[in-house]
Amino acid sequence: MTDLTKMTLSGALDGMAKGDFSSEELTKAHVDACMDGAELNAFITTTFELAMDQAKASDARRASGEVGKLEGAPLGIKDLFCTEGVKTTAGSKILGDFTPTYESTVSANMKADGMVMLGKLNLDEFAMGSSNETSHFGPVINPWRNGEDLVPGGSSGGSASAVAADLCLGATATDTGGSIRQPASFTGTVGIKPTYGRCSRWGTVAFASSLDQAGPIAKTVRDSAILLESMAGYDPKDSTSINADVPDWVGACGQSIKGMRIGIPKEYSIDGMPADIQALWDNGIEMMKAAGAEIVPISLPHTKYALPAYYVVAPAEASSNLARYDGMRYGLRVDGKDLTDTYELTRTDGFGDEVRRRIMIGTYVLSAGYYDAYYLRAQKVRTRIVQDFENAWESCDAILTPTAPSAAFAVGRKVSDPVQMYLNDIFTVTTNLAGLPGVSVPAGLDQNGLPLGLQIIGRAMDEATVFKAASALEDAAGFTAKPEKWWV
Amino acid sequence: MAQPKNGVTADDVKKIAKLSRLHVEADRLQPIAEDLNGILAWIEQLSEVDVEGVEPMTSAVDMAAPMRADKVTDGGKRDDVLKNAPKSDDGFFVVPRSVE
């Protein structure tokens, strides 16, 4: 039989529908791949027995004519989504032994659609990071190598690495400043962050509530549409969930982009942009033009302020959200001499350096005397960024940019200045601030043979256009490179 | 912006840590102050933006807050709620003494 792990999600669903193989066979192949790929450290918790049981149950459902959107497909879940009866850590020591008694809405939707869950995927602690190196459970290794171990990006590094290494057919991820798209770019996979509010945040461990949004990482644009159609949908348990039907995004893939106006923002040509990234972007513009799109120069003048605004808003929200980890009701408790001491010891031992740093920045910018100067001003700058996009939509239907300012970098690269790490999100963070959908599509290799992604941004609620443009870009780029299998 | 000229001091870090319920060793106060000042100096560029008359963005989604009937829809899950408690006894959370 052919190697079932090399299939796309779409191909595997078709294969099962035709009876070429069962979910049990497909799942077994992926369990084996996961075991072979253990040194990638993509999983925090594996659930292979559960997966085999779910696969058998799926085959039985299929035999009785009941077939969900993800029927029998072995997938991975980022360890930020609460899963009933399965440990959910958020990559943190403070939740190291936390086993939810409930299921996140996103993973519940996928279960209802027939998903088989292979396990919980590694991530930066509380999704705070761009290299997956802040995880309490160790860094994830990118299947792509360049003589040394490379990071898969972050925070959804486990999701990206697992999909790129064919350990699972697709994975859930979350994106607060670029945590789906930057890892997708680093691993040659597709990652989409939908419009804020498309996917319920209920049961997903919170980082920055006004920015957090779930989405998939997948092998192809079509696969990402299949996954997102299952993940998304109205949920009364999340007061920011959008009450709108989930459109036919799979149907949008492959449609012509003739006449589509693609905006090219001049502010994304940043100082010191690597030549490879500029060349990739130029090439992407040519490909979209060749596919019939009209290229429109646009201006998003407040782009350079997006990242600093983000590093006020996100830590502020994080410091509030993470106040709940007090060692009293769940999670780690480190006993101290009194209540306050117990709080402090618990939180100091339970949170890693980057999380503590962001809690302190957030506390500072929200504290008396600084609130107006930092937090309120950042919220106003955020409005400016939204206005930039609103102006741009008058002359274009989608925007094409690079996804990240570099390819994957080495694990353990010494970063003494946290701002250097924050710059990874320079091209992705604007859409989080504005709540817009954005997708990263693998579009080429750099001179070292590492994958690079291009990003397409769309109007709020207009994922259909994003999928259309992304699949046109995918077709034109013809990216078929895979990392050489060095693990096992 | 209202950031003091000298930025965050070791004393400020002590105060921030206390508000954050984090323990910081005395010899770490100054390095953390420098770390935070590096980030805050970079954030400082926000003061270049003209925000005169601009409303702060408070919601990422263009919709009114949904209303629902004021009815109990969930509950009766004492054991579930206590399941992950570091310490519990007889249906209660056990916490350090907080009232002397």
Side-chain angles (χ1 to χ4, degrees), chain A residues 98-99 210 239 241 304-305 327-331 333 347-348 357 360 363-364 373-374 377 379-380 383-384 386 433, chain B residues 1 3 16 20-21 23 35 39-40 43 45-46 48-50 54-55 57 60 63 66 84-86 93-95 98:
Chain A
F98 178 66
T99 302
S210 79
S239 62
S241 170
K304 71 175 278 208
Y305 303 108
M328 296 299 128
R329 292 151 300 154
Y330 49 82
R333 179 190 292 183
R347 290 166 59 80
T348 304
R357 175 186 285 136
M360 287 202 277
T363 303
Y364 181 71
Y374 288 110
R377 176 168 282 268
Q379 293 285 59
K380 289 178 179 175
T383 301
R384 282 286 195 214
V386 171
L433 290 167
Chain B
M1 288 170 104
Q3 198 196 341
I16 299 164
S20 306
R21 292 284 186 265
H23 178 78
D35 198 27
I39 297 167
L40 291 168
I43 288 171
Q45 52 181 309
L46 292 180
E48 298 165 15
V49 183
D50 178 11
V54 175
E55 285 295 313
M57 181 171 172
M63 66 176 205
N84 282 283
F93 291 107
V94 178
V95 302
S98 57

Tab-separated table of all heavy atoms in Angstrom, chain A residues 98-99 210 239 241 304-305 327-331 333 347-348 357 360 363-364 373-374 377 379-380 383-384 386 433, chain B residues 1 3 16 20-21 23 35 39-40 43 45-46 48-50 54-55 57 60 63 66 84-86 93-95 98:
chain	number	residue	atom	x	y	z
A	98	PHE	N	-2.929	19.530	34.533
A	98	PHE	CA	-4.342	19.931	34.426
A	98	PHE	C	-5.063	19.045	33.406
A	98	PHE	O	-4.667	18.952	32.251
A	98	PHE	CB	-4.420	21.399	34.000
A	98	PHE	CG	-5.824	21.897	33.820
A	98	PHE	CD1	-6.681	22.000	34.905
A	98	PHE	CD2	-6.291	22.267	32.564
A	98	PHE	CE1	-7.980	22.466	34.743
A	98	PHE	CE2	-7.585	22.737	32.391
A	98	PHE	CZ	-8.429	22.836	33.487
A	99	THR	N	-6.119	18.401	33.859
A	99	THR	CA	-6.933	17.571	32.965
A	99	THR	C	-8.360	18.100	32.975
A	99	THR	O	-9.084	17.932	33.967
A	99	THR	CB	-6.911	16.100	33.416
A	99	THR	OG1	-5.552	15.651	33.423
A	99	THR	CG2	-7.703	15.227	32.460
A	210	SER	N	-8.754	39.829	23.122
A	210	SER	CA	-9.253	40.594	21.972
A	210	SER	C	-8.462	40.277	20.709
A	210	SER	O	-8.758	40.810	19.633
A	210	SER	CB	-9.218	42.097	22.261
A	210	SER	OG	-7.914	42.622	22.117
A	239	SER	N	-19.020	35.342	24.044
A	239	SER	CA	-19.797	36.547	23.718
A	239	SER	C	-19.217	37.312	22.534
A	239	SER	O	-19.853	38.234	22.024
A	239	SER	CB	-19.881	37.468	24.937
A	239	SER	OG	-18.589	37.896	25.297
A	241	SER	N	-18.278	35.582	19.784
A	241	SER	CA	-18.471	34.672	18.650
A	241	SER	C	-19.451	35.312	17.658
A	241	SER	O	-20.494	35.837	18.055
A	241	SER	CB	-19.039	33.351	19.177
A	241	SER	OG	-19.451	32.526	18.124
A	304	LYS	N	4.126	50.416	11.011
A	304	LYS	CA	5.275	50.306	11.923
A	304	LYS	C	4.882	50.424	13.393
A	304	LYS	O	5.642	50.034	14.271
A	304	LYS	CB	6.369	51.322	11.572
A	304	LYS	CG	6.018	52.765	11.875
A	304	LYS	CD	7.203	53.695	11.605
A	304	LYS	CE	8.191	53.719	12.755
A	304	LYS	NZ	8.932	55.014	12.825
A	305	TYR	N	3.673	50.916	13.646
A	305	TYR	CA	3.236	51.064	15.030
A	305	TYR	C	2.440	49.857	15.531
A	305	TYR	O	2.056	49.798	16.693
A	305	TYR	CB	2.405	52.341	15.197
A	305	TYR	CG	3.176	53.569	14.760
A	305	TYR	CD1	2.870	54.248	13.595
A	305	TYR	CD2	4.263	54.013	15.522
A	305	TYR	CE1	3.607	55.347	13.185
A	305	TYR	CE2	5.007	55.103	15.118
A	305	TYR	CZ	4.669	55.770	13.950
A	305	TYR	OH	5.415	56.850	13.551
A	327	GLY	N	-3.057	29.088	42.103
A	327	GLY	CA	-2.738	27.888	42.873
A	327	GLY	C	-3.827	27.447	43.821
A	327	GLY	O	-3.592	26.606	44.691
A	328	MET	N	-5.028	28.010	43.674
A	328	MET	CA	-6.084	27.678	44.633
A	328	MET	C	-7.059	26.640	44.072
A	328	MET	O	-7.374	25.664	44.735
A	328	MET	CB	-6.877	28.940	45.020
A	328	MET	CG	-6.031	29.978	45.750
A	328	MET	SD	-5.372	29.338	47.297
A	328	MET	CE	-3.639	29.715	47.094
A	329	ARG	N	-7.545	26.858	42.858
A	329	ARG	CA	-8.626	26.010	42.342
A	329	ARG	C	-8.160	24.929	41.382
A	329	ARG	O	-8.791	23.890	41.243
A	329	ARG	CB	-9.693	26.883	41.681
A	329	ARG	CG	-10.445	27.747	42.672
A	329	ARG	CD	-10.932	29.020	42.043
A	329	ARG	NE	-9.798	29.793	41.549
A	329	ARG	CZ	-9.862	30.666	40.553
A	329	ARG	NH1	-10.985	30.882	39.952
A	329	ARG	NH2	-8.784	31.314	40.174
A	330	TYR	N	-7.072	25.205	40.684
A	330	TYR	CA	-6.523	24.198	39.767
A	330	TYR	C	-5.089	24.595	39.472
A	330	TYR	O	-4.672	25.713	39.779
A	330	TYR	CB	-7.335	24.100	38.473
A	330	TYR	CG	-7.632	25.414	37.812
A	330	TYR	CD1	-6.683	26.043	36.993
A	330	TYR	CD2	-8.849	26.044	38.021
A	330	TYR	CE1	-6.958	27.258	36.399
A	330	TYR	CE2	-9.120	27.264	37.432
A	330	TYR	CZ	-8.178	27.866	36.624
A	330	TYR	OH	-8.439	29.069	36.045
A	331	GLY	N	-4.342	23.701	38.891
A	331	GLY	CA	-2.957	24.008	38.548
A	331	GLY	C	-2.029	23.831	39.731
A	331	GLY	O	-2.416	23.389	40.814
A	333	ARG	N	0.371	24.361	42.888
A	333	ARG	CA	0.421	25.181	44.092
A	333	ARG	C	1.764	24.925	44.782
A	333	ARG	O	2.136	23.780	44.984
A	333	ARG	CB	-0.714	24.847	45.065
A	333	ARG	CG	-0.651	25.704	46.343
A	333	ARG	CD	-1.617	25.246	47.423
A	333	ARG	NE	-3.010	25.465	47.025
A	333	ARG	CZ	-4.042	25.199	47.833
A	333	ARG	NH1	-3.835	24.719	49.053
A	333	ARG	NH2	-5.272	25.384	47.408
A	347	ARG	N	3.207	31.285	41.342
A	347	ARG	CA	3.273	31.940	40.039
A	347	ARG	C	4.720	32.090	39.559
A	347	ARG	O	4.989	32.038	38.352
A	347	ARG	CB	2.567	33.306	40.106
A	347	ARG	CG	1.050	33.137	40.261
A	347	ARG	CD	0.359	34.430	40.670
A	347	ARG	NE	0.550	35.530	39.748
A	347	ARG	CZ	-0.117	35.698	38.605
A	347	ARG	NH1	-1.032	34.811	38.259
A	347	ARG	NH2	0.102	36.740	37.840
A	348	THR	N	5.632	32.269	40.487
A	348	THR	CA	7.030	32.425	40.115
A	348	THR	C	7.609	31.089	39.643
A	348	THR	O	8.357	31.035	38.665
A	348	THR	CB	7.837	32.976	41.308
A	348	THR	OG1	7.228	34.202	41.721
A	348	THR	CG2	9.289	33.235	40.916
A	357	ARG	N	7.741	37.984	32.207
A	357	ARG	CA	8.087	39.287	31.632
A	357	ARG	C	6.835	39.984	31.103
A	357	ARG	O	6.587	41.162	31.354
A	357	ARG	CB	9.095	39.073	30.497
A	357	ARG	CG	9.448	40.333	29.732
A	357	ARG	CD	10.328	40.015	28.536
A	357	ARG	NE	11.691	39.712	28.927
A	357	ARG	CZ	12.422	38.709	28.439
A	357	ARG	NH1	11.905	37.899	27.544
A	357	ARG	NH2	13.657	38.516	28.839
A	360	MET	N	4.518	41.247	33.782
A	360	MET	CA	5.001	42.484	34.411
A	360	MET	C	4.820	43.697	33.493
A	360	MET	O	4.429	44.765	33.959
A	360	MET	CB	6.452	42.315	34.863
A	360	MET	CG	6.540	41.418	36.091
A	360	MET	SD	8.037	41.640	37.054
A	360	MET	CE	9.139	40.611	36.148
A	363	THR	N	1.117	44.475	33.633
A	363	THR	CA	0.750	45.092	34.914
A	363	THR	C	1.203	46.549	34.941
A	363	THR	O	0.472	47.432	35.381
A	363	THR	CB	1.402	44.309	36.070
A	363	THR	OG1	0.986	42.940	35.981
A	363	THR	CG2	1.006	44.870	37.422
A	364	TYR	N	2.402	46.781	34.413
A	364	TYR	CA	2.940	48.153	34.397
A	364	TYR	C	2.083	49.082	33.527
A	364	TYR	O	1.687	50.158	33.971
A	364	TYR	CB	4.380	48.127	33.883
A	364	TYR	CG	5.047	49.487	33.845
A	364	TYR	CD1	5.410	50.137	35.018
A	364	TYR	CD2	5.306	50.113	32.631
A	364	TYR	CE1	6.021	51.375	34.981
A	364	TYR	CE2	5.916	51.351	32.582
A	364	TYR	CZ	6.271	51.986	33.768
A	364	TYR	OH	6.870	53.216	33.723
A	373	ALA	N	-1.208	56.712	29.144
A	373	ALA	CA	-0.042	56.888	28.285
A	373	ALA	C	0.244	55.646	27.438
A	373	ALA	O	0.686	55.757	26.300
A	373	ALA	CB	1.180	57.223	29.131
A	374	TYR	N	-0.001	54.494	27.998
A	374	TYR	CA	0.309	53.271	27.263
A	374	TYR	C	-0.929	52.586	26.717
A	374	TYR	O	-1.126	52.488	25.507
A	374	TYR	CB	1.083	52.286	28.159
A	374	TYR	CG	2.494	52.724	28.425
A	374	TYR	CD1	2.875	53.158	29.686
A	374	TYR	CD2	3.448	52.700	27.407
A	374	TYR	CE1	4.173	53.552	29.937
A	374	TYR	CE2	4.751	53.094	27.654
A	374	TYR	CZ	5.112	53.514	28.916
A	374	TYR	OH	6.389	53.909	29.150
A	377	ARG	N	-3.494	54.821	24.734
A	377	ARG	CA	-2.874	55.252	23.478
A	377	ARG	C	-2.759	54.083	22.499
A	377	ARG	O	-3.049	54.222	21.311
A	377	ARG	CB	-1.494	55.873	23.736
A	377	ARG	CG	-0.749	56.251	22.468
A	377	ARG	CD	0.456	57.119	22.751
A	377	ARG	NE	0.098	58.498	23.011
A	377	ARG	CZ	0.048	59.442	22.067
A	377	ARG	NH1	0.336	59.157	20.823
A	377	ARG	NH2	-0.277	60.674	22.383
A	379	GLN	N	-4.668	51.519	22.299
A	379	GLN	CA	-6.005	51.216	21.787
A	379	GLN	C	-6.405	52.209	20.692
A	379	GLN	O	-7.133	51.862	19.761
A	379	GLN	CB	-7.039	51.261	22.924
A	379	GLN	CG	-6.889	50.170	23.965
A	379	GLN	CD	-7.369	48.819	23.468
A	379	GLN	OE1	-6.863	48.296	22.479
A	379	GLN	NE2	-8.342	48.245	24.145
A	380	LYS	N	-5.932	53.442	20.814
A	380	LYS	CA	-6.221	54.447	19.778
A	380	LYS	C	-5.395	54.162	18.519
A	380	LYS	O	-5.878	54.317	17.394
A	380	LYS	CB	-5.932	55.850	20.313
A	380	LYS	CG	-6.948	56.305	21.353
A	380	LYS	CD	-6.607	57.687	21.892
A	380	LYS	CE	-7.667	58.135	22.913
A	380	LYS	NZ	-7.316	59.416	23.534
A	383	THR	N	-7.092	51.633	16.542
A	383	THR	CA	-8.144	52.210	15.693
A	383	THR	C	-7.545	52.748	14.394
A	383	THR	O	-8.104	52.561	13.309
A	383	THR	CB	-8.885	53.339	16.447
A	383	THR	OG1	-9.452	52.791	17.628
A	383	THR	CG2	-9.965	53.965	15.585
A	384	ARG	N	-6.384	53.402	14.500
A	384	ARG	CA	-5.695	53.920	13.318
A	384	ARG	C	-5.364	52.797	12.333
A	384	ARG	O	-5.474	52.950	11.113
A	384	ARG	CB	-4.388	54.606	13.740
A	384	ARG	CG	-4.578	55.993	14.318
A	384	ARG	CD	-4.911	56.948	13.219
A	384	ARG	NE	-4.762	58.329	13.609
A	384	ARG	CZ	-5.545	59.300	13.158
A	384	ARG	NH1	-6.543	59.026	12.328
A	384	ARG	NH2	-5.341	60.544	13.526
A	386	VAL	N	-6.913	49.924	12.028
A	386	VAL	CA	-8.173	49.496	11.417
A	386	VAL	C	-8.554	50.454	10.286
A	386	VAL	O	-8.961	50.026	9.197
A	386	VAL	CB	-9.299	49.442	12.473
A	386	VAL	CG1	-10.653	49.205	11.822
A	386	VAL	CG2	-9.010	48.355	13.503
A	433	LEU	N	-4.627	42.835	15.252
A	433	LEU	CA	-5.112	44.090	15.832
A	433	LEU	C	-6.403	44.518	15.164
A	433	LEU	O	-7.293	45.063	15.809
A	433	LEU	CB	-4.039	45.178	15.703
A	433	LEU	CG	-2.814	44.972	16.600
A	433	LEU	CD1	-1.685	45.898	16.183
A	433	LEU	CD2	-3.158	45.191	18.072
B	1	MET	N	5.011	60.742	26.166
B	1	MET	CA	4.311	59.824	27.050
B	1	MET	C	4.747	60.068	28.488
B	1	MET	O	5.748	60.703	28.743
B	1	MET	CB	4.610	58.385	26.651
B	1	MET	CG	3.906	58.023	25.364
B	1	MET	SD	4.467	56.446	24.751
B	1	MET	CE	3.107	55.434	25.204
B	3	GLN	N	6.099	58.272	30.589
B	3	GLN	CA	7.174	57.452	31.147
B	3	GLN	C	8.230	58.359	31.775
B	3	GLN	O	8.679	59.314	31.158
B	3	GLN	CB	7.810	56.633	30.041
B	3	GLN	CG	8.604	55.480	30.579
B	3	GLN	CD	9.541	54.915	29.528
B	3	GLN	OE1	9.357	55.149	28.344
B	3	GLN	NE2	10.553	54.207	29.967
B	16	ILE	N	5.915	46.463	40.710
B	16	ILE	CA	5.206	45.741	39.644
B	16	ILE	C	5.102	44.253	39.994
B	16	ILE	O	4.059	43.628	39.813
B	16	ILE	CB	5.935	45.903	38.283
B	16	ILE	CG1	5.993	47.370	37.851
B	16	ILE	CG2	5.235	45.093	37.196
B	16	ILE	CD1	7.015	47.635	36.745
B	20	SER	N	1.843	42.007	40.462
B	20	SER	CA	1.704	40.830	39.595
B	20	SER	C	1.691	39.532	40.390
B	20	SER	O	1.560	38.465	39.800
B	20	SER	CB	2.872	40.763	38.598
B	20	SER	OG	3.012	41.946	37.874
B	21	ARG	N	1.883	39.638	41.717
B	21	ARG	CA	2.002	38.450	42.563
B	21	ARG	C	3.092	37.517	42.033
B	21	ARG	O	2.892	36.329	41.836
B	21	ARG	CB	0.664	37.693	42.645
B	21	ARG	CG	-0.405	38.456	43.399
B	21	ARG	CD	-0.154	38.399	44.912
B	21	ARG	NE	-1.242	39.003	45.671
B	21	ARG	CZ	-1.247	40.266	46.101
B	21	ARG	NH1	-0.248	41.082	45.815
B	21	ARG	NH2	-2.261	40.724	46.800
B	23	HIS	N	7.349	36.697	42.633
B	23	HIS	CA	8.467	36.895	43.547
B	23	HIS	C	9.718	37.189	42.724
B	23	HIS	O	10.026	36.448	41.785
B	23	HIS	CB	8.664	35.632	44.376
B	23	HIS	CG	9.821	35.714	45.306
B	23	HIS	ND1	9.756	36.405	46.497
B	23	HIS	CD2	11.080	35.238	45.210
B	23	HIS	CE1	10.927	36.323	47.101
B	23	HIS	NE2	11.753	35.622	46.342
B	35	ASP	N	15.658	45.206	31.299
B	35	ASP	CA	14.905	44.440	30.314
B	35	ASP	C	13.609	45.179	29.947
B	35	ASP	O	13.302	45.406	28.763
B	35	ASP	CB	14.585	43.088	30.978
B	35	ASP	CG	14.189	42.019	29.984
B	35	ASP	OD1	14.623	42.117	28.835
B	35	ASP	OD2	13.450	41.103	30.379
B	39	ILE	N	12.170	47.285	26.313
B	39	ILE	CA	10.885	47.082	25.643
B	39	ILE	C	10.074	48.378	25.645
B	39	ILE	O	9.502	48.773	24.625
B	39	ILE	CB	10.107	45.931	26.318
B	39	ILE	CG1	10.889	44.615	26.169
B	39	ILE	CG2	8.713	45.791	25.728
B	39	ILE	CD1	10.385	43.483	27.056
B	40	LEU	N	10.060	49.056	26.786
B	40	LEU	CA	9.266	50.295	26.893
B	40	LEU	C	9.824	51.391	25.989
B	40	LEU	O	9.058	52.177	25.413
B	40	LEU	CB	9.206	50.760	28.351
B	40	LEU	CG	8.383	49.842	29.277
B	40	LEU	CD1	8.609	50.205	30.733
B	40	LEU	CD2	6.893	49.904	28.934
B	43	ILE	N	8.447	50.690	22.687
B	43	ILE	CA	7.018	51.012	22.658
B	43	ILE	C	6.802	52.527	22.562
B	43	ILE	O	5.800	52.995	22.019
B	43	ILE	CB	6.324	50.416	23.925
B	43	ILE	CG1	6.225	48.899	23.803
B	43	ILE	CG2	4.965	51.047	24.159
B	43	ILE	CD1	5.766	48.199	25.073
B	45	GLN	N	7.722	54.660	20.632
B	45	GLN	CA	7.438	55.244	19.312
B	45	GLN	C	5.945	55.473	19.076
B	45	GLN	O	5.557	56.208	18.174
B	45	GLN	CB	8.044	54.402	18.186
B	45	GLN	CG	7.674	52.944	18.241
B	45	GLN	CD	8.322	52.156	17.110
B	45	GLN	OE1	8.238	52.521	15.950
B	45	GLN	NE2	8.998	51.067	17.466
B	46	LEU	N	5.088	54.860	19.904
B	46	LEU	CA	3.653	55.104	19.762
B	46	LEU	C	3.321	56.579	19.983
B	46	LEU	O	2.285	57.064	19.519
B	46	LEU	CB	2.860	54.255	20.767
B	46	LEU	CG	2.861	52.743	20.550
B	46	LEU	CD1	2.025	52.061	21.621
B	46	LEU	CD2	2.322	52.400	19.169
B	48	GLU	N	4.576	58.985	18.600
B	48	GLU	CA	4.645	59.721	17.324
B	48	GLU	C	3.291	59.773	16.614
B	48	GLU	O	3.084	60.584	15.728
B	48	GLU	CB	5.629	59.029	16.363
B	48	GLU	CG	7.051	58.960	16.846
B	48	GLU	CD	7.852	57.943	16.020
B	48	GLU	OE1	7.387	57.527	14.940
B	48	GLU	OE2	8.948	57.567	16.482
B	49	VAL	N	2.382	58.845	16.973
B	49	VAL	CA	1.122	58.738	16.239
B	49	VAL	C	0.145	59.817	16.690
B	49	VAL	O	-0.045	60.028	17.885
B	49	VAL	CB	0.479	57.344	16.446
B	49	VAL	CG1	-0.794	57.201	15.624
B	49	VAL	CG2	1.477	56.241	16.104
B	50	ASP	N	-0.455	60.482	15.702
B	50	ASP	CA	-1.472	61.475	16.021
B	50	ASP	C	-2.775	60.746	16.354
B	50	ASP	O	-3.416	60.169	15.473
B	50	ASP	CB	-1.668	62.399	14.813
B	50	ASP	CG	-2.771	63.424	15.073
B	50	ASP	OD1	-3.218	63.541	16.234
B	50	ASP	OD2	-3.180	64.098	14.107
B	54	VAL	N	-9.240	60.349	18.167
B	54	VAL	CA	-9.430	58.952	17.764
B	54	VAL	C	-10.005	58.167	18.937
B	54	VAL	O	-9.523	58.263	20.059
B	54	VAL	CB	-8.077	58.332	17.329
B	54	VAL	CG1	-8.233	56.848	17.019
B	54	VAL	CG2	-7.523	59.069	16.126
B	55	GLU	N	-11.054	57.403	18.661
B	55	GLU	CA	-11.655	56.574	19.698
B	55	GLU	C	-10.785	55.335	19.933
B	55	GLU	O	-10.304	54.736	18.977
B	55	GLU	CB	-13.046	56.106	19.258
B	55	GLU	CG	-14.106	57.185	19.320
B	55	GLU	CD	-14.378	57.658	20.736
B	55	GLU	OE1	-14.534	56.793	21.628
B	55	GLU	OE2	-14.411	58.883	20.951
B	57	MET	N	-9.949	51.524	20.347
B	57	MET	CA	-10.619	50.319	19.867
B	57	MET	C	-10.781	49.365	21.048
B	57	MET	O	-9.811	48.934	21.650
B	57	MET	CB	-9.773	49.663	18.787
B	57	MET	CG	-10.403	48.408	18.219
B	57	MET	SD	-9.473	47.866	16.787
B	57	MET	CE	-10.235	46.281	16.472
B	60	ALA	N	-12.647	43.777	18.903
B	60	ALA	CA	-12.084	43.384	17.607
B	60	ALA	C	-13.177	42.957	16.642
B	60	ALA	O	-12.910	42.654	15.495
B	60	ALA	CB	-11.087	42.244	17.805
B	63	MET	N	-19.790	44.186	16.378
B	63	MET	CA	-21.145	43.759	16.734
B	63	MET	C	-21.467	44.197	18.164
B	63	MET	O	-20.570	44.453	18.965
B	63	MET	CB	-21.288	42.242	16.606
B	63	MET	CG	-20.442	41.452	17.587
B	63	MET	SD	-20.777	39.688	17.405
B	63	MET	CE	-20.313	39.104	19.033
B	66	PRO	N	-24.073	40.455	22.760
B	66	PRO	CA	-25.329	39.706	22.713
B	66	PRO	C	-25.997	39.645	24.084
B	66	PRO	O	-25.319	39.635	25.101
B	66	PRO	CB	-24.882	38.307	22.260
B	66	PRO	CG	-23.444	38.201	22.681
B	66	PRO	CD	-22.891	39.588	22.651
B	84	ASN	N	-9.519	19.307	39.668
B	84	ASN	CA	-8.122	19.721	39.489
B	84	ASN	C	-7.590	20.547	40.658
B	84	ASN	O	-6.523	21.154	40.563
B	84	ASN	CB	-7.976	20.515	38.185
B	84	ASN	CG	-7.942	19.616	36.963
B	84	ASN	OD1	-6.924	18.983	36.674
B	84	ASN	ND2	-9.062	19.518	36.258
B	85	ALA	N	-8.345	20.572	41.760
B	85	ALA	CA	-7.905	21.381	42.905
B	85	ALA	C	-6.619	20.813	43.498
B	85	ALA	O	-6.511	19.603	43.688
B	85	ALA	CB	-8.997	21.406	43.967
B	86	PRO	N	-5.643	21.690	43.797
B	86	PRO	CA	-4.418	21.206	44.440
B	86	PRO	C	-4.734	20.540	45.782
B	86	PRO	O	-4.071	19.606	46.177
B	86	PRO	CB	-3.582	22.481	44.643
B	86	PRO	CG	-4.143	23.494	43.722
B	86	PRO	CD	-5.593	23.144	43.529
B	93	PHE	N	-12.732	23.586	48.434
B	93	PHE	CA	-11.327	23.882	48.179
B	93	PHE	C	-10.656	24.119	49.526
B	93	PHE	O	-11.241	24.747	50.410
B	93	PHE	CB	-11.170	25.178	47.353
B	93	PHE	CG	-11.636	25.067	45.938
B	93	PHE	CD1	-12.820	25.670	45.519
B	93	PHE	CD2	-10.880	24.380	45.000
B	93	PHE	CE1	-13.239	25.593	44.198
B	93	PHE	CE2	-11.292	24.298	43.676
B	93	PHE	CZ	-12.482	24.896	43.279
B	94	VAL	N	-9.444	23.642	49.692
B	94	VAL	CA	-8.678	23.948	50.900
B	94	VAL	C	-7.586	24.943	50.516
B	94	VAL	O	-6.778	24.672	49.625
B	94	VAL	CB	-8.050	22.674	51.510
B	94	VAL	CG1	-7.215	23.024	52.738
B	94	VAL	CG2	-9.145	21.674	51.861
B	95	VAL	N	-7.610	26.114	51.158
B	95	VAL	CA	-6.661	27.184	50.818
B	95	VAL	C	-5.943	27.641	52.089
B	95	VAL	O	-6.415	27.382	53.198
B	95	VAL	CB	-7.386	28.387	50.154
B	95	VAL	CG1	-8.124	27.936	48.907
B	95	VAL	CG2	-8.341	29.072	51.116
B	98	SER	N	-6.520	32.950	55.289
B	98	SER	CA	-6.454	34.302	54.747
B	98	SER	C	-7.005	35.327	55.723
B	98	SER	O	-6.890	36.524	55.517
B	98	SER	CB	-7.206	34.385	53.413
B	98	SER	OG	-8.537	33.969	53.596
